[in-house]
C-alpha cells in the first residue's frame, strides 16, 4: 500500500511516499527556516507564503523520486493539526483537492502523534527485523519547538496523553535561552554543540519538578537565565557556555526523570522519543544510559526524521487506513 504524506504545519513543506507504513520510497523536505533566522523565530506569514510556493514542486518530486505516479497511490495523508493555521491550510487544501480529484481516501493526521511514529520508518527496501522496533503499548515522549508531552501509546490509533508542558515547550526554551544570550536561531543545535565542550563549572539552574504529575514547565528556568544574564552583563563565550550547559543539564534531567516514571508506572519496557529536541546529543546519551540500567529500550528516530517530515505522516496513516 503506497500512501502519500503531506506535512505543512510550520516552516517545512514536506511530501513523502511510504509503502506499507514502513518503507520510505521518497521523502522531500523544503524549509523556509533560513528566512526566519534574522527575526529570531518563525514568522507565520512568511512560512505560509513559502508553503504555497513549494507545495506543488515538493509533491511532484516525491512522486518522481518514488517512481510512483499520483494515480497509483492508495491514499493521501496530511497533517491536520497542531501548527500554524496558515501553513496547515496550504497542506490541507492541497491534500483535500488531490484526494477529491484522484478519488483516493484522505487521512488527516495529528502532527504530534506522527512524530512518535518516526522510529518505525526505514529507507531500506527490505524490512528490518521486527526486534528493532518497540512493541505496543509503549511510552512516547514528544519534545519539539511546539510540544513537550508524554503519551501512553496503546496502538497507532489510541494515544493517551499522560502529561504536557504547562507553559513553554522544551525546544522553545532552547530557542529563547539562545535568544537571550544572542546565540542565533534555532537555539537547540547551537546549545547542543556549545555544551559538549564543558564538564565542570559552578552554575546550576533548575526546572520546576511538578511532583506527582507527568507535566513539565520550562518558562521558570528561561526567566532565571534571563535575570542571571541581566545581572551579569558582558559575558564572554566561556561564561555563556557554562550557562547553556547548566540549562541543558537541567532540561535533560527532568525529561529523563518523567520518562522513567511513566515507564515504571505503566510497566513499559520501551520508550519512543520524537520531535526536534530528540536530536539533542545529551538527551540521547542520558536517556539511553538511564533507561538501559532499568531494562528499558529507548528508540530515537534517525536525525533527519527528528525534524518535521512527511514520511512520519504517511507512515502512521497506514494504520489508520487499515483500521
Ligand atoms: O520538531 P520541530 O521541527 O518543531 C515542531 O514541530 O515544533 O523541532 C524544532 C525544535 C526547535 O525548537 C529547535 O531548537 C529544536 O527543535 N532542536 C534542538 C536540537 N535540534 C533542534 N533542541 C535541542 N538540541 C538539538 N540538537
Ligand atoms: Zn514537528
Amino acid at each position: 500500500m503506497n500512501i502519500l504524506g503531506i506535512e505543512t504545519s510550520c516552516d517545512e513543506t514536506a511530501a513523502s511516499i511510504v509503502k506499507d507504513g514502513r518503507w520510505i520510497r521518497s521523502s522531500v523536505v523544503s524549509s523556509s527556516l533560513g528566512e526566519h533566522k534574522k527575526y529570531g523565530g518563525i514568522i507565520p506569514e512568511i512560512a505560509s507564503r513559502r508553503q504555497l510556493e513549494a507545495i506543488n514542486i515538493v509533491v511532484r518530486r516525491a512522486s518522481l523520486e518514488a517512481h510512483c505516479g499520483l494515480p497509483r497511490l492508495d491514499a493521501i495523508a496530511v497533517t491536520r493539526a497542531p501548527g500554524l493555521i496558515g501553513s496547515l491550510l496550504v497542506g490541507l487544501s492541497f491534500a483535500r483537492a488531490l484526494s477529491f480529484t484522484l478519488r483516493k481516501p484522505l487521512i488527516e493526521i495529528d502532527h504530534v502523534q506522527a512524530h512518535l511514529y518516526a522510529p518505525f520508518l526505514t529507507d531500506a527496501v527490505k524490512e528490518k527485523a521486527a526486534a528493532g522496533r518497540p512493541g505496543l503499548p509503549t511510552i512516547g515522549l514528544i519534545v519539539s519547538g511546539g510540544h513537550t508531552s508524554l503519551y501512553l501509546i496503546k496502538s497507532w490509533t489510541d494515544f493517551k496523553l499522560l502529561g504536557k508542558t504547562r507553559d513553554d515547550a522544551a525546544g522553545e526554551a532552547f530557542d529563547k535561552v539562545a535568544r537571550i544570550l544572542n546565540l542565533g536561531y534555532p537555539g537547540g543545535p547551537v546549545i547542543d554543540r556549545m555544551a559538549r565542550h564543558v564538564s565542570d563549572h559552578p552554575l546550576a539552574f533548575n526546572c520546576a519538578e511538578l511532583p506527582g504529575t507527568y507535566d513539565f514547565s520550562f518558562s521558570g528556568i528561561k526567566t532565571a537565565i534571563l535575570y542571571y544574564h541581566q545581572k551579569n552583563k558582558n559575558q564572554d563565550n566561556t561564561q555563556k557556555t557554562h550557562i547553556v550547559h547548566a540549562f541543558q543539564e537541567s532540561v535533560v534531567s527532568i525529561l529523563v526523570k518523567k520518562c522513567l516514571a511513566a515507564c515504571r508506572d505503566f510497566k513499559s519496557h520501551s520508550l519512543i522519543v520524537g520531535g526536534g529536541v530528540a536530536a539533542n546529543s545529551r538527551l540521547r546519551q542520558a536517556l539511553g544510559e538511564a533507561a538501559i540500567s532499568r531494562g528499558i529500550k529507548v528508540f530515537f528516530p534517525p536525525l533527519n526524521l527528528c525534524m518535521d517530515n512527511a514520511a512520519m505522516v504517511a507512515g502512521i496513516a497506514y494504520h489508520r487506513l487499515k483500521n
Side-chain angles (χ1 to χ4, degrees), residues 192 195-199 245 248-249 252-253 255-256 260 271 273 277-294 296-300 303:
D192 190 355
R196 257 177 237 172
H197 307 292
V198 191
S199 52
H245 178 266
Q248 181 175 272
E249 285 303 305
V252 165
S253 150
L255 291 172
V256 170
L260 294 181
L271 170 70
V273 187
V277 184
N280 185 270
S281 60
R282 180 69 182 123
L283 178 65
R284 285 178 173 248
Q285 181 206 11
L287 204 47
E289 285 172 7
I292 221 164
S293 63
R294 288 163 179 82
I296 300 164
K297 196 152 188 237
V298 188
F299 295 85
F300 284 102
L303 291 183

Side-chain angles (χ1 to χ4, degrees), residues 12 111 115 144-147 171-172 174-175 186-189 192 275-277 279-281 306-308:
E12 270 91 22
H111 178 78
H115 264 301
S144 70
H147 312 276
E172 191 180 355
F174 271 93
D175 296 337
D192 190 355
V277 184
N280 185 270
S281 60
C306 285
M307 299 306 181
D308 287 350

